[in-house]
Amino acid sequence: MDKDLKYLLQDVMSCTFTFSDGLKSTITSSPENEIVLVKILPLTSKYKKFEGNVLRYYSSTESISELATLCKYDCIKTFIRHFKECFGKTPYQWLLDRKMEEIQSYVLNSEISITELSKMYGFKTVSHMVSTYTKRFGISPQKSRLSKRK
């Protein structure tokens, strides 16, 4: 049996769908009240699988194209489009967020030097990592570390 549900709505001016996450979407017919055809797809299973693959592989990859390949995408543009639909950000933005969260954890909970952290996470210079950290958290890594100790 076809998993996709299809509904044919006639003489409907508008229809509002409320999704499980609380979002609502309204579809309005044309001024001539033409027939509106709605196809409801269970996207959660598609995105759950995609999200699971990204979470499984992101920490072991060094590039977005490598992550796309591990997630079984040949076309990087399609991967990026699906990524943005699923996570609401580009892969680069999302990966940078994960990286900065991990760096912050190291800054606050370890004695690893800021220089070593910048090398571990592939920043070209220490100053680039420090400025990225400061922009994200509003305080430099060194000041974060010092304030944690007090």
Side-chain angles (χ1 to χ4, degrees):
M1 185 176 162
D2 187 9
K3 290 182 184 179
D4 301 337
L5 304 175
K6 297 174 185 165
Y7 297 93
L8 182 63
L9 306 174
Q10 293 179 325
D11 297 319
V12 175
M13 293 185 66
S14 70
C15 182
T16 301
F17 296 92
T18 304
F19 299 94
S20 60
D21 62 2
L23 293 176
K24 292 183 179 185
S25 181
T26 300
I27 297 174
T28 305
S29 64
S30 67
E32 297 82 30
N33 291 326
E34 296 174 343
I35 296 172
V36 175
L37 179 65
V38 177
K39 185 175 183 180
I40 300 173
L41 303 172
L43 292 178
T44 54
S45 62
K46 172 183 152 184
Y47 285 118
K48 290 293 180 195
K49 183 178 179 183
F50 180 79
E51 183 179 350
N53 284 336
V54 168
L55 294 173
R56 181 179 309 117
Y57 297 124
Y58 87 91
S59 63
S60 62
T61 60
E62 293 190 17
S63 69
I64 292 168
S65 60
E66 185 181 354
L67 180 59
T69 301
L70 288 171
C71 291
K72 310 260 188 280
Y73 281 80
D74 295 327
C75 177
I76 192 77
K77 286 183 179 182
T78 302
F79 174 76
I80 290 171
R81 183 171 38 94
H82 287 169
F83 196 101
K84 285 169 40 174
E85 288 171 5
C86 184
F87 291 97
K89 301 177 177 196
T90 66
Y92 175 79
Q93 292 165 328
W94 187 86
L95 288 168
L96 184 60
D97 286 348
R98 302 293 75 71
K99 188 185 288 192
M100 294 313 297
E101 288 168 5
E102 291 173 17
I103 289 171
Q104 183 185 41
S105 180
Y106 278 118
V107 165
L108 297 175
N109 302 306
S110 78
E111 295 299 319
I112 299 173
S113 73
I114 305 304
T115 302
E116 189 59 33
L117 284 172
S118 72
K119 288 178 188 173
M120 282 173 53
Y121 283 90
F123 285 90
K124 293 185 182 194
T125 65
V126 177
S127 63
H128 181 227
M129 191 205 77
V130 169
S131 66
T132 303
Y133 185 101
T134 304
K135 184 177 179 181
R136 169 143 173 121
F137 300 111
I139 187 171
S140 72
Q142 193 62 36
K143 286 182 180 177
S144 289
R145 184 170 275 170
L146 292 172
S147 68
K148 170 81 168 146
R149 291 181 185 160
K150 290 179 181 179

